[in-house]
Amino acid sequence: MRAACTLTCSLLALSLTASAQTPQVFGYHDFTQQAKWDAAFLQVPDAKLAGEHLKTLTAAPHWASSQQDYVTAVYVADKFKAAGLETQIVPYKVLLNKPVNIVIEAFSADGKKLMTGPSVEHVDPEKYGGDPFQDNPDIFPAFNGSSPSGDVTGEVVYANYGNLADFKKLASMGVNVKDKIVLVRYGSNFRGVKVYLAQQYGAKGVLIYSDPADDGYFRGDIYPKGPFRPSSGVQRGSVQFLPIYPGDPQTPGIASTPDLPDSKRIPLNELKGNQPSIPANPLSYKDAAPILKCLDGAVSPREWQGALPFAYHVGGTGKVTVHMHLEQDTALRTIWNVIGTIEGSDPTQKDDWVVAGNHRDAWIFGAVDPNSGTAAMLETVHGLGELIKQGWRPKRRIVIGSWDAEEEGLMGSTEWAEQHAGPLARAVAYFNTDVGVSGPEFKAAAVPSLQQFVRDVSKQVPSPKGGTVYQQWRRDQETDATNHIASSLGANHIGSAAEEDVRVGNLGSGSDYTPFIQHLGVPSTDIGSEGSYGVYHSAFDNYNWYIKFADPDFAYLQQQARVFGLEILHMADTDVLPYDYQAYGKDIVEYLQVAQRHAATGKLSLDLAPALAAAHRLESAGAVMRSHQISATANIAALNKALRDTEGAFLNPEGLPHRPWYKHTIYAPGEYTGYAAVVIPGVNEAISEPDAPRAQAQLARLTEALNRASDILEGAAR
Ligand SMILES: [Zn+2]
């Protein structure tokens, strides 16, 4: 604690001296004018107004394509227009399943019924204020997006988190999941990956439940007394095979505009790419407990034990049978993005877009996920509108997207990005926010070239706890390091005690930055502020939960609006694009060193020397470029073009093995993780396989990409 205090105090001193005069900001030759616009902007985002947006947007369930979803689109469009943005509501037609009749029943071997579900989400209305939203008739029952209809009956096997290692462990214990119904718990990987693996292992159905160990009473008091998941709380969610491709399942790579002819859509009976063929459904722990309790067979590995009060067994002995009856209405449905634009004023850079976005659709009310992000974004837009009134015009075009149907598989953002792939090849950044606020801890993920950019922006915004967002972020990370707390943002970074600065995580997937960075190579960031959030994707993620447990006075919505806004302002107006390719090269060197150790452990004979040399070359080229970025005064447009093209050079047009939609050679969602990024994915996944020839071929693709990037940087810095 002592060492930590020394660090924080010296930083505070530094930033105080810096604020006495206009600071030097990377990318700006003279920050004086920008500092004035920043100050004017920071005054606008209003906590109270943000709270009102949140209350309005979350008044009713607004599942993508519903009438209420359209009402929220109109609300957002009106706010965009009021701020002076050129605004359009942009429809797409995408394949979505809606639950019609969902029945899950479990029986013991002697035919006794153990449970019928899914239970309605409900808490005692007499205790701790109850929940004023839970009786809304428009709340959908527990279901999974992308699950097919089905009627299956089978014995139950418990497979922990449903990781690849868990299925291998079951096989090694002699437990076969073929033709069984697999019961897995939420956590560790993306739910679609659980179904992807269960299907590959021959299961006939999947039940995914929330164990109290992961977000229920084992973590703290349950709602409405505390923020954690009550026994009936269920996590809805998409089980699309997101690591294969996101977006509308019938139109990978092309936009599913309303006028797209049916002949351009993959026929439903040929859909196998990113859609499961076996039914899947989520359960609460109230519904899962009677099934788990009755399972016998081998006692589960001890690390598979959750927090229910009995020893977990793996089953597979015929003691428990489950019947899943799922009727889904799967159809093409209309969704609505809202797109707001502020034209750029610099003739050489007005076609270089700065894109920022957040999704608007929710499984139910979505107070945290995603409308805390929407409420904050609307106050960001409010601030941009005030600057426009004061005469400000951005150099580059600003495009703000309110995406629809993110929950079903990043549909609104993916279809829009596919439609605008041409101009987006010049986009200088995509800034994402999804969960804007679930508590007070600021978190960020970004490509390495923008990690310092995010830190710099966070130094200009005050924290509700005092000091700056940056200082509080740093204090939180020091506390978390002591307490070993992981989080969704920033958890994938391999950090060390010797790290000199706050950690910014890697971009995996599970939100709308995926089409921008991993399909189109647009440098991206994702920011938000996190806390004890146990009601994810349940009916209890509502305004009542938000004001009790996340942010009662909306101070963090205001903070989020300010940080998000400065990201947009700086990227739209900077003289030289503030990408740090030295940092990028350095991180890639580390990724390759880790891959080298994995290959050695697996006794794979690989030649990593050319790739390592190329990564070192990128690091050096990035260092030379950095000094050029600071000093250059002529040919700025050409310099910026080269800087932007460098990220594009990381794309491999062939894409990754058996998932060609993913073109980025450095980052992709892991085929077997989903949310978490796999770095240098082509190489690392081939090493894990293990498949030495494929790993060597992927190393060659990576080396080419890195050398293409260095060629561009070296050419421009000459
Ligand atoms: Zn979300």
Side-chain angles (χ1 to χ4, degrees):
M1 288 308 285
R2 196 165 273 275
C5 182
T6 315
L7 267 175
T8 317
C9 299
S10 64
L11 257 168
L12 190 64
L14 259 178
S15 79
L16 284 176
T17 27
S19 64
Q21 64 201 63
T22 307
Q24 290 290 313
V25 174
F26 187 48
Y28 287 87
H29 296 137
D30 179 354
F31 196 65
T32 315
Q33 183 54 49
Q34 186 65 49
K36 288 180 189 157
W37 288 127
D38 286 358
F41 170 79
L42 288 171
Q43 284 179 3
V44 185
D46 186 271
K48 196 162 159 283
L49 286 176
E52 285 170 20
H53 300 317
L54 184 68
K55 194 171 185 181
T56 308
L57 289 162
T58 62
H62 51 288
W63 180 71
S65 83
S66 66
Q67 184 54 35
Q68 201 57 40
D69 175 38
Y70 185 73
V71 170
T72 63
V74 171
Y75 180 84
V76 167
D78 286 348
K79 299 293 169 196
F80 281 13
K81 285 177 199 160
L85 276 60
E86 191 190 304
T87 303
Q88 282 181 304
I89 294 181
V90 182
Y92 295 94
K93 274 169 83 176
V94 299
L95 193 71
L96 301 181
N97 63 303
K98 182 175 174 175
V100 177
N101 186 22
I102 307 283
V103 182
I104 313 288
E105 303 168 295
F107 302 90
S108 62
D110 53 11
K112 212 179 103 215
K113 191 174 261 191
L114 300 170
M115 61 78 74
T116 305
S119 300
V120 172
E121 293 182 282
H122 208 265
V123 294
D124 188 341
E126 304 299 326
K127 286 192 184 146
Y128 307 104
D131 180 85
F133 291 88
Q134 63 184 356
D135 296 322
N136 189 302
D138 293 333
I139 296 173
F140 277 159
F143 80 111
N144 282 132
S146 282
S147 169
S149 293
D151 191 292
V152 293
T153 302
E155 288 175 39
V156 179
V157 172
Y158 172 60
N160 193 30
Y161 289 115
N163 282 313
L164 182 57
D166 297 330
F167 284 99
K168 286 184 174 169
K169 180 74 188 174
L170 280 175
S172 77
M173 294 167 73
V175 181
N176 192 345
V177 304
K178 186 156 173 27
D179 294 326
K180 305 281 177 16
I181 289 178
V182 171
L183 176 66
V184 290
R185 55 170 164 163
Y186 272 114
S188 180
N189 58 8
F190 171 63
R191 68 183 87 67
V193 168
K194 300 174 196 287
V195 179
Y196 183 63
L197 286 165
Q199 183 175 310
Q200 286 177 14
Y201 276 82
K204 60 160 71 155
V206 184
L207 293 172
I208 315 172
Y209 82 102
S210 299
D211 196 286
D214 297 300
D215 60 10
Y217 56 71
F218 197 71
R219 301 286 308 281
D221 280 326
I222 57 171
Y223 184 73
K225 185 183 185 190
F228 290 101
R229 193 178 297 274
S231 64
S232 66
V234 67
Q235 182 189 139
R236 291 159 191 77
S238 171
V239 292
Q240 183 195 62
F241 298 161
L242 175 71
I244 306 300
Y245 64 87
D248 175 39
Q250 292 182 279
T251 61
I254 59 169
S256 58
T257 52
D259 58 359
L260 185 76
D262 280 352
S263 60
K264 293 277 169 71
R265 296 175 190 271
I266 302 173
L268 290 180
N269 56 6
E270 289 170 28
L271 266 190
K272 25 191 169 342
N274 76 344
Q275 295 293 291
S277 59
I278 57 172
N281 213 74
L283 286 182
S284 62
Y285 56 88
K286 180 182 175 185
D287 286 346
I291 302 175
L292 261 173
K293 190 175 182 182
C294 197
L295 286 182
D296 63 358
V299 72
S300 72
R302 285 302 74 204
E303 61 279 16
W304 292 23
Q305 176 74 38
L308 291 167
F310 44 80
Y312 294 16
H313 289 245
V314 296
T317 56
K319 191 81 184 293
V320 187
T321 302
V322 158
H323 170 221
M324 299 174 69
H325 177 81
L326 311 186
E327 285 173 50
Q328 318 271 5
D329 172 10
T330 301
L332 278 183
R333 295 189 153 90
T334 302
I335 60 165
W336 305 276
N337 291 342
V338 183
I339 304 293
T341 304
I342 306 171
E343 290 302 328
S345 62
D346 180 322
T348 64
Q349 295 182 81
K350 64 182 172 51
D351 294 326
D352 300 347
W353 299 3
V354 175
V355 187
N358 152 263
H359 77 94
R360 194 186 66 253
D361 66 297
W363 284 114
I364 311 286
F365 300 99
V368 166
D369 179 10
N371 297 123
S372 58
T374 319
M377 187 168 86
L378 289 179
E379 280 310 291
T380 299
V381 167
H382 180 196
L384 298 177
E386 285 304 314
L387 294 196
I388 293 171
K389 281 187 200 152
Q390 293 172 26
W392 163 81
R393 292 291 176 274
K395 279 185 187 156
R396 301 179 180 85
R397 174 190 290 208
I398 294 173
V399 183
I400 312 276
S402 168
W403 314 121
D404 205 351
E406 186 270 358
E407 294 294 5
E408 279 76 8
L410 323 181
M411 297 207 184
S413 57
T414 299
E415 299 313 312
W416 187 85
E418 288 171 343
Q419 185 173 10
H420 300 282
L424 286 170
R426 291 184 57 168
V428 295
Y430 173 67
F431 298 126
N432 191 63
T433 185
D434 184 333
V435 169
V437 178
S438 66
E441 290 199 21
F442 183 76
K443 300 277 162 64
V447 287
S449 54
L450 287 177
Q451 294 184 350
Q452 191 56 38
F453 173 81
V454 178
R455 291 186 194 108
D456 286 347
V457 160
S458 74
K459 289 173 186 171
Q460 279 182 254
V461 177
S463 163
K465 290 187 179 171
T468 64
V469 171
Y470 176 80
Q471 287 164 339
Q472 188 56 42
W473 185 8
R474 196 175 177 108
R475 280 193 288 272
D476 290 342
Q477 279 197 357
E478 283 159 4
T479 316
D480 286 0
T482 332
N483 299 341
H484 306 286
I485 294 170
S487 84
S488 62
L489 285 170
N492 324 316
H493 190 100
I494 310 153
S496 71
E499 197 120 33
E500 329 87 42
D501 214 330
V502 290
R503 289 181 305 279
V504 180
N506 291 326
L507 295 163
S509 191
S511 196
D512 293 306
Y513 52 79
T514 273
F516 295 96
I517 179 64
Q518 291 153 353
H519 186 58
L520 298 174
V522 181
S524 298
T525 74
D526 185 28
I527 61 167
S529 181
E530 297 181 354
S532 297
Y533 175 42
V535 296
Y536 173 64
H537 287 186
S538 77
F540 305 119
D541 180 355
N542 60 40
Y543 187 77
N544 188 61
W545 185 95
Y546 189 89
I547 57 173
K548 278 179 89 165
F549 302 113
D551 184 24
D553 52 8
F554 314 110
Y556 288 92
L557 288 183
Q558 180 183 47
Q559 168 184 304
Q560 172 73 7
R562 286 168 163 170
V563 178
F564 199 55
L566 287 192
E567 285 193 295
I568 297 167
L569 281 178
H570 285 198
M571 196 55 79
D573 282 341
T574 187
D575 298 311
V576 178
L577 294 167
Y579 307 141
D580 182 348
Y581 281 108
Q582 185 181 11
Y584 217 138
K586 189 164 172 279
D587 281 5
I588 297 168
V589 169
E590 281 178 28
Y591 301 158
L592 282 163
Q593 286 165 343
V594 173
Q596 194 163 33
R597 287 198 291 276
H598 283 172
T601 316
K603 303 208 164 29
L604 246 67
S605 142
L606 292 179
D607 179 10
L608 282 94
L612 270 163
H616 280 295
R617 180 185 166 204
L618 179 70
E619 189 180 354
S620 309
V624 174
M625 178 51 102
R626 268 184 66 84
S627 54
H628 211 64
Q629 282 165 286
I630 293 164
S631 63
T633 48
N635 293 328
I636 299 293
L639 185 67
N640 282 337
K641 183 179 182 311
L643 281 162
R644 169 59 187 90
D645 288 348
T646 304
E647 182 78 47
F650 295 144
L651 299 180
N652 171 11
E654 291 166 20
L656 291 171
H658 64 92
R659 39 193 193 129
W661 188 90
Y662 284 98
K663 310 232 179 265
H664 206 279
T665 52
I666 319 294
Y667 299 103
E671 183 178 355
Y672 298 124
T673 62
Y675 290 130
V678 166
V679 297
I680 50 170
V683 175
N684 274 326
E685 290 186 338
I687 290 173
S688 300
E689 205 55 39
D691 182 339
R694 192 174 107 195
Q696 200 64 60
Q698 289 295 309
L699 278 164
R701 297 290 88 76
L702 174 64
T703 306
E704 288 158 15
L706 296 175
N707 283 328
R708 275 198 302 273
S710 296
D711 286 345
I712 295 169
L713 289 175
E714 288 165 5
R718 241 197 297 275

